[in-house]
Amino acid sequence: MFAKHTVYKHDNYNMLTVEVQGKTLVVREISDQWGEESHKFISRPEMMDWAQKRFRPDDFPGGEEEYNRTMETLRNI
């Protein structure tokens, strides 16, 4: 059984989840613009590096506050 974490969910078409599959982290990014993308990482630092390059505060409806909350949630997985 895998642990699934919802990082954010704005609606049914814009969300980010992380499944912990043993040592592998599978990030599923669903957006109304790009559809669904999956990313596999073998470590948390690798996932965080991707997240810091992928997201900017402007990407979130709540701006920097929501960006910081999302990054903190990812760090705690």
Side-chain angles (χ1 to χ4, degrees):
M1 184 167 148
F2 304 125
K4 184 175 180 179
H5 305 272
T6 301
V7 178
Y8 67 76
K9 183 173 180 176
H10 301 301
D11 53 38
N12 286 337
Y13 304 103
N14 294 284
M15 65 182 81
L16 185 72
T17 63
V18 178
E19 284 182 18
V20 180
Q21 301 178 355
K23 292 185 177 190
T24 304
L25 300 158
V26 179
V27 176
R28 295 193 200 293
E29 185 179 10
I30 301 170
S31 80
D32 54 3
Q33 288 182 309
W34 307 106
E36 182 175 335
E37 291 185 47
S38 291
H39 310 278
K40 284 189 177 186
F41 302 102
I42 56 171
S43 69
R44 283 171 176 76
E46 182 185 19
M47 178 182 70
M48 290 308 299
D49 184 59
W50 167 81
Q52 290 167 346
K53 291 175 182 170
R54 165 65 182 88
F55 297 115
R56 289 174 182 58
D58 298 353
D59 296 334
F60 295 90
E64 190 150 348
E65 184 178 320
E66 191 170 340
Y67 167 81
N68 290 334
R69 191 169 38 249
T70 297
M71 297 306 275
E72 185 64 27
T73 301
L74 285 169
R75 270 191 282 283
N76 290 328
I77 291 175

